[in-house]
Amino acid sequence: MRVKNLLKALPIGIILSSFCFAAYASSELDAIMKARGLSEKDILAAAKTYQPSGRKDEYLVFSSGGQSGQVIVYGVPSMRIYKYIAVFTPEPWQGYGYDEESKKVLEGGKINGRAMTWGDSHHPAFTEKNGEYTGDYLFINDKANPRLAVIDLKTFETVQIVSNPVIKSEHGGAFVTPNSEYVLEASQYAAPLDRNYHPLEAFENAYRGAVTLWKFDLDKGRINEAESLTLELPPYNQDLSDAGKGVSDGWAFINSFNTEMYTGGIEAGLPPNEAGMSRNDHDYLHVFNWKKIAELGKDPKNVKVINGHRVVPIEVAVANDALFLIPEPKSPHGVDVSPDGKYLVIGGKLDTHASVYDFEKIKKLIDAKDYAGKDTFGIPILDMKKSLHGQVELGLGPLHTAFDSKDGVLYTSLYVDSQVVRWDYKKLKVLDRINVHYNIGHLDSMEGKSTKPKGDWLLALDKLSIDRFNPVGPLHPQNHQLIDISGPKMELTYDLPIPLGEPHDVVSIAADKLTPKVTFDIGTDSRTEKPSPYATLAGQERVERDGNNVTVYATMVRSHINPERITVNKGDHVKIHLSSLERAQDETHGFAVDSMNVHASL
Ligand code: RUQ
């Protein structure tokens, strides 16, 4: 067909020469395929993902950098790595953690006054409008030390870190509400919210889970700590979360995995944690109304102030119909809300099924006050069967879910089976499955957690790579695999080794939604983008002395610094303010004082 159309459209000379080229190219291609042992499928995969020099990618992917505390940016479909964004960890290439402006950002992440120079950057999330990604800001949480960071996507720089005042570890963040009102951060291991010592014997009374609603000020591009608040939860060890959207807007959902409230004790002859924490057949999906909690929190009668932070107690939430529990198969993992907000898909982890809950059924039970009972803390329990749309057997270790653009179609990762399953959550049937390498955790379709997921590519984030790459010692890279999901069968097209931390989860966005700056504005603080009080223009360069305090106001264009000589006395305290006057694109330069651990990137 295509050849016929070409014949019609092209003058004869062009046809002949292009046929000659095609014949030559195909014989060269054949030779290369033979020499390198490549199949036709390999060539197709390469043709789908290869970007000739200068061609840009359709999507940008923001991956957590795990214990490196950073964010990794790469492109789809080429899988080329573009940037590491320093977040919780000082990083000299970007000067992050070396100049005073970025030190101030890292200081926001101090815990009990202690500087933290690492983090487990975990779940990234974009700002949203009506549940669609906007590409203005990216949030990422630190799982190990409960903190949340804001990255400005105009500069791809971290501009704020806030430290959670009440919880001690967290997993269910960062999850953004559909119009970026709040960023949710749920705790993982129950701990005393007052951060004081309470013996483990007092677990049920003194230990608590919680979810913090961080208020985001979209105009300022910063979290407003004073307007943020926390909902107290039972000490059930909360797991992943998601915010509702569409019909479930205003609500949010959190899994749990230790409703047994077991605290271990293998050394004292008690069952190991894993056994003690999975004695019950069910744990609880927490369903809460974040809009109501935010309203309730405005009245001082409804809050306890802990560490200077407002906490809405369980009984206040219950009295105002804002918190419910629904049994879920024991120790589940991810809870993912469908693009229309009607369904919640829960990965079974220890159960071979995924469970699909129907939000409209849940809402009916809530409205009718049709409860199946109450838990130890007085929280109403909804009946599991009456809340479920259905369950589907997927395989061993279902964890996370990403959605397709096609109605009802989604993808779930199977950690133990090392597979991705494509299935239909409305009709409850499996459609396709593909092997991945190996032990997949999260997965993501493009814009996959928004209300408008795309159906072209899927990323499988494999925790192990084992034999996929050249061996580089006992510590292997992780493997991000790109899967073409546009056709009736899923096709594996690319393996990207990620050699930094344990890249944990990704979010992806159409590249044309991002409008990064070409250069920083001259005279501004690189973190606040506001005029800097130390800005120095050409001709204003000077050295000021006040006793033995010396302040230098210098300018810099590429490698040229003015003043060129600074003479100080031994014992002087010297402060250097550097203003970059560079206007050209992609011309950054370093500044260092040798042997003094002083460094900057301008
Ligand atoms: S969850 S260990 Cu994202 Cu699968 Cu954190």
Side-chain angles (χ1 to χ4, degrees):
M1 279 288 278
R2 265 190 215 143
V3 174
K4 252 194 225 161
N5 289 343
L6 258 177
L7 284 171
K8 268 188 220 158
L10 294 172
I12 202 79
I14 294 178
I15 294 167
L16 283 178
S17 65
S18 67
F19 276 178
C20 289
F21 174 74
Y24 166 74
S26 93
S27 75
E28 197 187 359
L29 187 61
D30 283 346
I32 293 170
M33 284 172 69
K34 207 179 261 166
R36 297 198 62 215
L38 299 173
S39 67
E40 230 168 75
K41 223 173 146 190
D42 297 330
I43 298 301
L44 264 176
K48 284 177 188 172
T49 57
Y50 175 71
Q51 298 287 36
S53 180
R55 190 177 295 180
K56 314 273 195 307
D57 277 307
E58 272 164 73
Y59 298 101
L60 282 196
V61 177
F62 293 77
S63 169
S64 56
Q67 298 84 346
S68 79
Q70 303 180 345
V71 164
I72 303 157
V73 186
Y74 61 86
V76 160
S78 78
M79 304 295 272
R80 295 175 294 190
I81 293 180
Y82 293 124
K83 196 167 204 172
Y84 292 154
I85 305 173
V87 185
F88 297 110
T89 313
E91 199 291 304
W93 172 61
Q94 294 152 80
Y96 184 71
Y98 296 89
D99 60 55
E100 297 304 317
E101 287 81 1
S102 59
K103 274 188 206 162
K104 213 180 273 170
V105 174
L106 277 168
E107 259 166 37
K110 277 189 173 176
I111 296 180
N112 297 334
R114 182 180 293 134
M116 307 291 305
T117 56
W118 81 285
D120 179 4
S121 70
H122 221 69
H123 299 119
F126 293 111
T127 35
E128 296 181 10
K129 192 168 184 202
N130 299 322
E132 286 186 59
Y133 299 158
T134 66
D136 295 320
Y137 295 91
L138 182 84
F139 306 98
I140 192 151
N141 66 316
D142 175 1
K143 178 180 187 254
N145 321 293
R147 299 178 298 167
L148 189 75
V150 182
I151 296 164
D152 187 339
L153 294 177
K154 285 266 179 290
T155 54
F156 281 51
E157 305 243 4
T158 305
V159 293
Q160 187 183 22
I161 299 176
V162 292
S163 172
N164 195 299
V166 287
I167 64 180
K168 297 283 281 174
S169 67
E170 68 108 309
H171 203 196
F175 293 96
V176 178
T177 58
N179 286 296
S180 307
E181 301 96 332
Y182 289 93
V183 186
L184 306 180
E185 183 190 35
S187 61
Q188 181 155 37
Y189 304 108
L193 300 184
D194 62 11
R195 294 204 161 156
N196 291 327
Y197 173 71
H198 297 269
L200 274 178
E201 288 65 37
F203 193 76
E204 210 175 300
N205 291 324
Y207 286 60
R208 286 292 176 268
V211 55
T212 298
L213 283 61
W214 289 108
K215 177 82 188 131
F216 189 62
D217 183 332
L218 198 54
D219 294 327
K220 293 201 175 114
R222 297 294 185 275
I223 284 165
N224 183 329
E225 291 183 75
E227 281 186 31
S228 302
L229 73 165
T230 290
L231 166 63
E232 178 193 34
L233 297 174
Y236 290 161
N237 286 9
Q238 281 71 22
D239 208 13
L240 279 239
S241 325
D242 204 358
K245 51 187 106 162
V247 288
S248 55
D249 185 15
W251 294 82
F253 312 94
I254 308 173
N255 281 337
S256 61
F257 61 89
N258 183 23
T259 49
E260 294 84 353
M261 295 186 276
Y262 188 65
T263 57
I266 193 168
E267 65 291 336
L270 294 168
N273 262 330
E274 291 77 2
M277 289 186 186
S278 39
R279 270 188 304 227
N280 300 347
D281 282 340
H282 295 110
D283 284 301
Y284 289 128
L285 169 69
H286 300 48
V287 178
F288 71 98
N289 189 320
W290 62 260
K291 276 192 183 161
K292 226 181 235 180
I293 298 297
E295 267 315 299
L296 288 169
K298 287 181 183 156
D299 186 340
K301 279 205 309 281
N302 293 329
V303 299
K304 277 192 286 201
V305 176
I306 304 177
N307 303 333
H309 174 84
R310 288 176 301 149
V311 177
V312 176
I314 294 174
E315 50 288 7
V316 173
V318 169
N320 289 280
D321 299 324
L323 177 62
F324 302 89
L325 301 171
I326 313 176
E328 54 187 358
K330 67 173 161 194
S331 302
H333 196 56
V335 48
D336 296 281
V337 178
S338 65
D340 57 10
K342 281 190 195 157
Y343 297 93
L344 324 172
V345 182
I346 293 182
K349 193 167 78 181
L350 300 187
D351 181 9
T352 53
H353 297 83
S355 303
V356 185
Y357 288 79
D358 181 330
F359 182 75
E360 276 159 351
K361 288 185 180 174
I362 293 172
K363 190 71 198 341
K364 248 186 220 154
L365 295 175
I366 290 174
D367 291 343
K369 294 193 188 289
D370 181 351
Y371 306 144
K374 285 195 170 179
D375 81 334
T376 325
F377 301 88
I379 308 172
I381 301 169
L382 309 180
D383 185 81
M384 178 171 166
K385 276 213 184 94
K386 288 186 192 166
S387 312
L388 269 177
H389 168 61
Q391 292 177 304
V392 179
E393 177 147 20
L394 298 180
L396 295 178
L399 293 185
H400 297 283
T401 288
F403 295 88
D404 198 298
S405 54
K406 287 180 218 74
D407 187 43
V409 178
L410 47 53
Y411 302 84
T412 296
S413 54
L414 300 182
Y415 176 80
V416 179
D417 277 340
S418 290
Q419 283 185 338
V420 169
V421 191
R422 175 193 267 167
W423 56 291
D424 188 315
Y425 61 97
K426 291 192 174 166
K427 296 185 190 128
L428 302 171
K429 62 169 194 219
V430 171
L431 305 171
D432 188 22
R433 59 179 75 230
I434 189 169
N435 294 328
V436 291
H437 314 86
Y438 301 92
N439 299 89
I440 177 172
H442 280 265
L443 75 181
D444 188 34
S445 49
M446 300 298 100
E447 303 205 351
K449 293 170 181 95
S450 75
T451 49
K452 299 259 167 64
K454 310 284 187 284
D456 42 8
W457 297 106
L458 182 95
L459 287 160
L461 314 185
D462 306 319
K463 293 186 184 287
L464 309 186
S465 63
I466 307 181
D467 59 357
R468 294 292 99 177
F469 307 114
N470 297 53
V472 288
L475 186 58
H476 295 227
Q478 271 64 238
N479 189 10
H480 283 199
Q481 293 186 300
L482 182 68
I483 298 169
D484 177 358
I485 54 168
S486 62
K489 292 290 289 173
M490 291 183 275
E491 300 282 355
L492 182 63
T493 61
Y494 202 98
D495 279 26
L496 169 68
I498 300 244
L500 193 80
E502 181 207 341
H504 183 83
D505 185 19
V506 301
V507 281
S508 49
I509 189 165
D512 60 15
K513 283 192 181 171
L514 298 169
T515 48
K517 281 188 163 177
V518 177
T519 57
F520 287 99
D521 297 337
I522 283 174
T524 56
D525 174 319
S526 65
R527 300 289 146 179
T528 62
E529 289 179 70
K530 296 216 171 84
S532 166
Y534 311 111
T536 309
L537 298 176
Q540 296 177 346
E541 297 89 350
R542 62 200 182 276
V543 178
E544 290 176 355
R545 177 177 281 279
D546 177 13
N548 57 357
N549 287 323
V550 178
T551 311
V552 181
Y553 295 87
T555 60
M556 186 162 161
V557 179
R558 251 157 273 190
S559 55
H560 185 234
I561 302 171
N562 185 359
E564 293 182 341
R565 297 191 294 184
I566 305 167
T567 308
V568 293
N569 304 317
K570 188 173 181 181
D572 280 350
H573 183 241
V574 183
K575 231 183 217 173
I576 301 175
H577 299 292
L578 272 168
S579 295
S580 172
L581 303 182
E582 181 64 66
R583 285 171 195 273
Q585 177 171 340
D586 200 16
E587 286 290 353
T588 48
H589 210 279
F591 171 84
V593 181
D594 63 88
S595 315
M596 301 283 280
N597 201 35
V598 168
H599 163 73
S601 167
L602 283 102

